[in-house]
Amino acid sequence: MLSAKNLDVRYGQFRAVRGVSLEVKQGETIALIGANGAGKSTLLRAIAGALPIYSGELSFKHKVITHAASCDRVKQGLSLVPEGRRLFTEMTIEENLLLGKTINRAGDWDLDRVFDTFPNLVKRRHAKAGSLSGGEQQATAIGRALMSNPELLILDEVSLGLSPLVVDQVYASIEKLRDAGTTIILVEQALDRAIAFAKRAVCMLEGRIVLDKLTADTNRHEITEAYFGLQQSATQEAS
Ligand SMILES: Nc1ncnc2c1ncn2[C@@H]1O[C@H](COP(=O)(O)OP(=O)(O)OP(=O)(O)O)[C@@H](O)[C@H]1O
Ligand SMILES: [Mg+2]
């Protein structure tokens, strides 16, 4: 469904993403993990079209989208919930959700279905997004992405700053999406949670992918080593 070949993404001279290749099949769930500054958000933002791709090729559903505008990617079914949620704080929950509908892709998601998925948003639907709790804001940001009927949903730091109970609620919702067959790439700092959720674990270190394995075939020790770069020489290609 998504195919990244040898992607480089730069901030000026700095190569934040270095020769990353990644294949994502329909219905897969991927936990993208790695230390702070590893390049996770940069990669996801480049996939969503929020940052330019310096070199390499990106395709989605067999169409090359390396330089496509982000709204065209949403039209094709690729939707990112960015780190930090990025809601319009002066607009209500409902207005924020409806923004996801401005790109009119056919599908089942509408306000009613989002409110069924996130029941605690219903009673606050007319409240300004800026007045919501962190968990409510996260649910709204996910709901807004769902309103565009994505085939690939990308979630960056889905549980950042949320209390454990709210994290459980958010995960219960995205597990429902996963079990319904939505393809999901998720960045999560809580390793155990990420591994339990996803079918594949992809670990980045200093802009590169250093581990890409089925979660069922990997163990915590292997992931920790990749995360901290303890096996760099074995897994990293020369720069
Ligand atoms: N706007 C920017 N300008 C310059 N450098 C940036 C910018 N954003 C990120 N970087 C740098 O690019 C690298 C990758 O950052 P990125 O945000 O992708 O990491 P991350 O893996 O998402 O980290 P975190 O877990 O902290 O969110 C870091 O070294 C960071 O300092
Ligand atoms: Mg990040």
Side-chain angles (χ1 to χ4, degrees), residues 41 83 156-157:
S41 297
E83 201 174 358
D156 195 353
E157 304 277 11

Side-chain angles (χ1 to χ4, degrees), residues 11 14 16 34-42 83 157 189:
Y11 297 107
F14 177 66
N36 294 127
K40 306 177 298 293
S41 297
T42 304
E83 201 174 358
E157 304 277 11
Q189 292 293 346

Side-chain angles (χ1 to χ4, degrees), residues 26 51 69 106 119 130 132 138 143 146 151 153 158 179 190 194 197 204 219:
Q26 183 161 8
L51 279 175
L132 304 177
Q138 190 65 60
L146 292 174
E151 289 170 61
L153 179 64
V158 75
D179 297 343
F197 174 81
M204 288 185 76
N219 60 44

Side-chain angles (χ1 to χ4, degrees), residues 72-84:
D72 289 331
R73 298 182 201 209
V74 179
K75 270 184 208 151
Q76 289 175 48
L78 196 160
S79 203
L80 167 72
V81 178
E83 201 174 358

Side-chain angles (χ1 to χ4, degrees), residues 97-108:
L97 290 174
L98 286 169
L99 285 177
K101 261 278 170 268
T102 46
I103 288 183
N104 204 6
R105 265 177 60 80
D108 296 337

